[in-house]
Amino acid sequence: MKITKKTFILTISLMFIFLFTTTVLAAEPDAATLNSQRFGILTILPPFVAIVLAFITKNVVLSLFLGVFSGTFLIQLSGHSVLNAILHGFLSVIDNLRNSLADPWNAGIILQCMTIGGLIALVSKMGGAKAVAERLAQKAKSPVSAQIITWILGLFVFFDDYANSLIVGPIMRPVCDKMKISREKLSFIVDSTAAPISGIALISTWVGYEISLIKDAYSSIGENVNAYGLFVQTIPYRFYNILILVFIVASALTLREFGPMLLAERRARTTGKVLRDGSKPMVSSEATNLEPKEGIKLTIWNAIIPIGVLLIGAFAGFYFNGYNSIMGGEDETLKALFINSPASFAAIREAFSASDASIVLFQAALFASIVAIIMGLYQKIFTLGEAIDTWIEGMKSLVITGVILLLAWSLSSVIKELGTAKFLVTVLSNSLPKFILPSIIFIMGSIISFATGTSYGTMGILMPLTIPLAHGIGAGDPHYVLINASAVLTGAIFGDHCSPISDTTILSSMGSACDHLDHVKTQMWYSLTVAAITIVFGYIPAGFGLPIVIVLPLCMVATVLSLFIFGKSVEVADESNLFHKKVANVN
């Protein structure tokens, strides 16, 4: 473990050194320009401290806090002694946190995340998610259909990665056991439809965090953008998220596997042992919090109606919020568009672009929560007091998200004040090849999130640096900046997805009742393969400017071909007993 930790720290340090010796001439405040000139390479201290401490402590909250403090300490050194700089630096951290929370957009994002968490708890307690899962599970009649149904169910529980891991696994476990699908394969499918889906879903507990980082990072280069619209535009470039989903389907349909997963699947098919001998399956203690009350009648409408209200309410809210914004503005051309063609595609697009996603998603989630409570009361599933307690309990699960958000916003603010982006732009804009930056960002995000087990902290550290850097190297090309923003989000999810200390990786092992190390070991081969395809066939061609309509299909083809190049059929013919014993006892 010590060797691994040192290796990670050395790797990330070398990557930072490479960045320093090898970002965007945006309209920075004078103070930031002066700070970048005064402190030079020290301006990268806050993100560097946050990353290194995250590796060492595995605690992203502490790491982000100390990263912010290192920046405020530097700033305060200009007019104070060291001891006074420590005191005033600490007080500046508090000011940054308070200012971040006081921002209406930020407050809306935190409320939105927590309210969706409450809604998820209500839907789960009402048995809606379980009812849908059981309905889908009835359709599984073979190893192929069982895996596809698990995948579809993972797509359905798109709104939260924790809920996905703890709902899909327990429901599909007996079905997959019956079809002789290994627990390793089940946990892989569950894990691969958790964070990868929630990270690109139009509405989820992730989207608020992601769009807040995008908005804040773009503001550092002087651009006031529609963050939700940019988030939607990143989706085609979220190669790993998309390709891992393609990989699952291709593997299920062809029944081809490779690496340790091949041995696990052949063991399950030939011996019926879904777990290897001597394995230690994890049992979920957290899943009970999502279990519906005993004795209630399970119905899919307890999921369809609240989630449907959330989706319809959000999209309607985007339109009317944007409409009010435009009609209250000064652009007469857009006003005329809404007067003459309010339902046209152009009008809808402009309305969505002008809307405030933070308040709209909060309103939609709150309204959907009220609908869910009324439904539960009508069906006598819970009392009003129990419903509110359940809703609050769901909100509590996302308190840590709010804490990380505040620290990430504060780190971004300190980085901006120090002029970190200005320094990086000056150093790198003429020396780093344009096409390689998305791949470097993806790799850095992968390493950080793998070592720390958190994608949120990784996004919060890298996004404020990436946007200015990409803006500078790409000479202000908005499309190029978008690709690099996608690389931050995607790399963070890839590293988190295959990290043995990631919460979703652990919860997937729990929900599937799989040995955790077996899950990590079998999944790693697939994750690394898809990540390699993401870089070689995704971000490098995209960095060269190849259109997404060519890049994404190319990535998909490469993903499917990887199964035919490296994979072998699971459905083996009759073989010797010696081979059966070897497969049955493989680790």
Side-chain angles (χ1 to χ4, degrees), residues 148-187:
I148 295 297
I149 292 297
T150 305
W151 179 81
I152 292 174
L153 183 55
L155 297 184
F156 177 82
V157 191
F158 60 86
F159 40 81
D160 182 69
D161 54 332
Y162 286 7
N164 188 307
S165 298
L166 294 175
I167 290 173
V168 178
I171 294 301
M172 294 305 299
R173 190 194 312 150
V175 178
C176 290
D177 287 355
K178 183 179 179 181
M179 298 300 159
K180 296 182 179 180
I181 297 172
S182 67
R183 294 281 177 83
E184 291 94 328
K185 187 61 183 292
L186 171 61
S187 57

Side-chain angles (χ1 to χ4, degrees), residues 10-87:
L10 178 61
T11 302
I12 200 67
S13 299
L14 289 175
M15 295 186 77
F16 262 99
I17 292 170
F18 168 73
L19 286 176
F20 304 149
T21 59
T22 26
T23 231
V24 197
L25 297 178
E28 293 278 353
D30 290 340
T33 303
L34 292 173
N35 283 334
S36 69
Q37 295 170 354
R38 179 185 302 120
F39 295 113
I41 197 171
L42 289 178
T43 61
I44 56 86
L45 187 63
F48 186 76
V49 167
I51 291 171
V52 171
L53 287 179
F55 280 126
I56 296 173
T57 67
K58 300 296 187 294
N59 189 315
V60 70
V61 172
L62 175 63
S63 303
L64 284 171
F65 177 84
L66 292 177
V68 176
F69 174 72
S70 68
T72 56
F73 170 75
L74 273 180
I75 294 170
Q76 294 300 325
L77 269 178
S78 300
H80 300 91
S81 65
V82 173
L83 291 178
N84 281 331
I86 292 174
L87 174 61

Side-chain angles (χ1 to χ4, degrees), residues 103-112 207-208 211-212 215 224-229 313-326 348-365 409:
D103 184 276
W105 167 273
N106 294 349
I109 290 296
I110 291 177
L111 288 172
Q112 173 245 122
V207 66
I211 64 177
S212 70
K215 182 180 179 66
N224 184 20
V225 297
N226 176 261
Y228 187 82
F315 286 113
F318 283 135
Y319 180 86
F320 287 107
N321 185 274
Y323 170 84
N324 291 331
S325 176
I326 289 172
I348 294 173
R349 181 191 63 210
E350 294 296 336
F352 275 48
S353 297
S355 64
D356 184 341
S358 67
I359 189 64
V360 169
L361 290 174
F362 168 57
Q363 291 169 337
W409 287 326

Side-chain angles (χ1 to χ4, degrees), residues 101-391:
L101 185 59
D103 184 276
W105 167 273
N106 294 349
I109 290 296
I110 291 177
L111 288 172
Q112 173 245 122
C113 289
M114 296 180 68
T115 306
I116 290 180
L119 173 64
I120 293 168
L122 288 171
V123 171
S124 300
K125 189 63 72 174
M126 291 164 63
K130 186 174 183 178
V132 172
E134 291 184 347
R135 180 72 65 87
L136 288 174
Q138 293 172 4
K139 305 294 182 181
K141 305 296 182 183
S142 68
V144 173
S145 61
Q147 292 181 65
I148 295 297
I149 292 297
T150 305
W151 179 81
I152 292 174
L153 183 55
L155 297 184
F156 177 82
V157 191
F158 60 86
F159 40 81
D160 182 69
D161 54 332
Y162 286 7
N164 188 307
S165 298
L166 294 175
I167 290 173
V168 178
I171 294 301
M172 294 305 299
R173 190 194 312 150
V175 178
C176 290
D177 287 355
K178 183 179 179 181
M179 298 300 159
K180 296 182 179 180
I181 297 172
S182 67
R183 294 281 177 83
E184 291 94 328
K185 187 61 183 292
L186 171 61
S187 57
F188 165 68
I189 298 175
V190 170
D191 204 354
S192 301
T193 54
I197 285 290
S198 298
I200 60 175
L202 295 179
I203 298 175
S204 72
T205 53
W206 285 59
V207 66
Y209 181 69
E210 292 176 308
I211 64 177
S212 70
L213 293 178
I214 291 172
K215 182 180 179 66
D216 201 45
Y218 270 85
S219 69
S220 70
I221 59 174
E223 294 188 11
N224 184 20
V225 297
N226 176 261
Y228 187 82
L230 284 173
F231 163 77
V232 173
Q233 292 178 49
T234 67
I235 293 177
Y237 296 95
R238 308 284 287 276
F239 298 118
Y240 181 82
N241 301 55
I242 297 170
L243 297 182
I244 199 69
L245 299 176
V246 172
F247 186 93
I248 295 171
V249 175
S251 173
L253 293 177
T254 61
L255 291 177
R256 299 180 72 88
E257 313 284 352
F258 59 84
M261 190 71 80
L262 174 64
L263 299 177
E265 280 292 88
R266 284 185 172 178
R267 178 201 68 222
R269 297 291 201 286
T270 56
T271 69
K273 294 181 179 180
V274 296
L275 289 164
R276 67 173 175 84
D277 292 337
S279 65
K280 298 178 180 179
M282 299 187 74
V283 179
S284 173
S285 59
E286 296 186 43
T288 55
N289 294 329
L290 294 173
E291 285 293 313
K293 295 186 66 173
E294 292 184 10
I296 68 170
K297 180 181 178 181
L298 299 181
T299 170
I300 61 174
W301 296 108
N302 283 346
I304 293 176
I305 293 177
I307 299 300
V309 169
L310 173 63
L311 294 173
I312 295 173
F315 286 113
F318 283 135
Y319 180 86
F320 287 107
N321 185 274
Y323 170 84
N324 291 331
S325 176
I326 289 172
M327 297 306 290
E330 299 178 356
D331 193 325
E332 298 300 328
T333 302
L334 287 180
K335 290 182 180 180
L337 174 64
F338 278 90
I339 292 173
N340 298 323
S341 306
S344 65
F345 176 78
I348 294 173
R349 181 191 63 210
E350 294 296 336
F352 275 48
S353 297
S355 64
D356 184 341
S358 67
I359 189 64
V360 169
L361 290 174
F362 168 57
Q363 291 169 337
L366 183 60
F367 182 57
S369 298
I370 294 172
V371 170
I373 290 174
I374 293 173
M375 290 178 63
L377 293 175
Y378 179 77
Q379 299 173 63
K380 297 182 179 179
I381 295 175
F382 39 56
T383 65
L384 180 60
E386 291 172 337
I388 294 176
D389 288 343
T390 300
W391 187 67

Side-chain angles (χ1 to χ4, degrees), residues 246-247 250 254 533 555-565:
V246 172
F247 186 93
T254 61
I533 294 171
C555 289
M556 292 180 176
V557 171
T559 301
V560 175
L561 287 178
S562 69
L563 281 165
F564 288 93
I565 295 173

